Amino acid sequence: MASRPLFNAPAPNVPYFVPRQYPPAGTAFDPQPHGKPVPTLFRPLKIRGVEFQNRIFLAPLCQYSSENGVVSPWQLVHLGGIFTHGPGLTLTEATAVLPEGRISPEDAGIWTDEQATAWAQVVQFAHSQNQKIGIQLAHAGRKASTAAPWVAATGTVPFIAGGWPDEVLGPTDEPHQPDFPTPKALSKEGITRIVKGFVDAAKRSIRAGFDVIEIHGAHGFLISSFYAPASNTRTDEYGGSFENRIRLAIEVVDAVRAVIPPTTPLFFRLSATDWLKDEQGPRWRSEDSVRLSRVLAEHGVDFIDVSTGGLSAATQMSPLASGAGYQVPFAADIKAALGDKVFVGAVGGINEGKFAQSILDEGKADAVLVGRMFQKNPGFVWKLADDLDVELHQSSQIGWPFQGRAKKAAK
């Protein structure tokens, strides 16, 4: 009997050698070796033309590690260390669509071809590992020209330190908080420029090879500062009524959906509540997010990524807003209202496999997004699998010491 050729197959379509990964890391063995069914957390999820091997997604994590918007080897190492362990989807940090849309001078961007080329190298490596990667497109609005959080918790970065305090934009000239830059109220022409910035960034993202596009409409950045009544006191067609305040969000969604392939999933991250109290004036509530989500779904958004907060320094969060799953009820509200009309992601303090699985079992969301736990443990998918006694395929270089020849030798 002829022996099998000893051939370490290469990943296709890569200008360097890395071993082929099939199936991708993070895929559950089906059937499981112990005969138990695969839990929903580790079952594939298909959205438009993209299938994710499990329902654990990496949430965007700002890194403040780029120069002139161009990502560095840091992003390749940071993200690569995570997606080689197999989340169903890896989302990049908030990536600015225009230079003034950065949070800090060191934010990533995609308003130039040079920036897109740098991102393409990260995408290429993700695809060499048979992994899916998405980009979060963002404009920081009135929270721009500020510092990386380990440099200063608040405050304006001046021109001399690379900031742009006189070019910060918002729905009005009201700053996010007193020591932040005073924004310029966007004109209609300025809004048109913003929408075009998202469109051009989406086109570059598709050319760079990203599998998913996410629009950042949360955390008090530009889009959410328009839809939230506490920060938008305009009296034109972009202010006042609910329909007017969500106009920018819908214009961006429509414009981006029109220029990306019909097979590409479009995600939208929103802040489901601003955590303000009634006595603090007009506020954005969970029922408003349900209403917005319904409109977004009608305009081609496939996935609502449900976060909260970030709008105001006057925020008074619930005493429960620091525990496991504190934002999950807001995702559940949207899922209950929209059902199968849109996919919903829950995020916030999801740190254990049985808890993550319960979110899906109870119909509160279709996927979970995890951020800080991946910072602490890039192999967090594996940890969740261990919690549920699920056997996973791993990247060959990572998994081989735990099985096969090495496993036999250890006995």
Side-chain angles (χ1 to χ4, degrees), residues 68-70 95-102 105 107-116 197 200-201 204:
N68 297 321
V70 179
T95 303
V97 301
L98 291 165
E100 84 282 353
R102 292 169 291 166
D107 275 25
I110 194 163
W111 68 85
T112 72
D113 290 343
E114 180 188 10
Q115 294 160 353
D200 292 344
R204 288 191 181 95

Side-chain angles (χ1 to χ4, degrees), residues 259-284:
V259 299
I260 64 177
T263 53
T264 300
L266 181 59
F267 287 27
F268 188 98
R269 171 163 270 203
L270 57 73
S271 281
T273 177
D274 52 25
W275 293 107
L276 295 173
K277 295 183 177 180
D278 288 337
E279 60 267 25
Q280 293 176 286
R283 61 193 183 94
W284 184 264

Side-chain angles (χ1 to χ4, degrees), residues 219-258:
H219 302 162
F221 297 130
L222 188 67
I223 291 175
S224 67
S225 71
F226 264 79
Y227 66 64
S231 51
N232 184 352
T233 56
R234 296 171 71 108
T235 57
D236 64 358
E237 64 264 44
Y238 289 92
S241 69
F242 175 87
E243 291 76 13
N244 284 354
R245 286 183 283 107
I246 70 169
R247 191 181 302 277
L248 175 60
I250 302 308
E251 287 182 353
V252 170
V253 164
D254 284 345
V256 169
R257 182 76 267 175

Side-chain angles (χ1 to χ4, degrees), residues 94-98 101-102 136-140 198 214-216 221:
T95 303
V97 301
L98 291 165
R102 292 169 291 166
Q136 186 187 68
L137 302 180
H139 192 295
F198 274 94
E214 176 166 279
I215 295 169
H216 197 340
F221 297 130

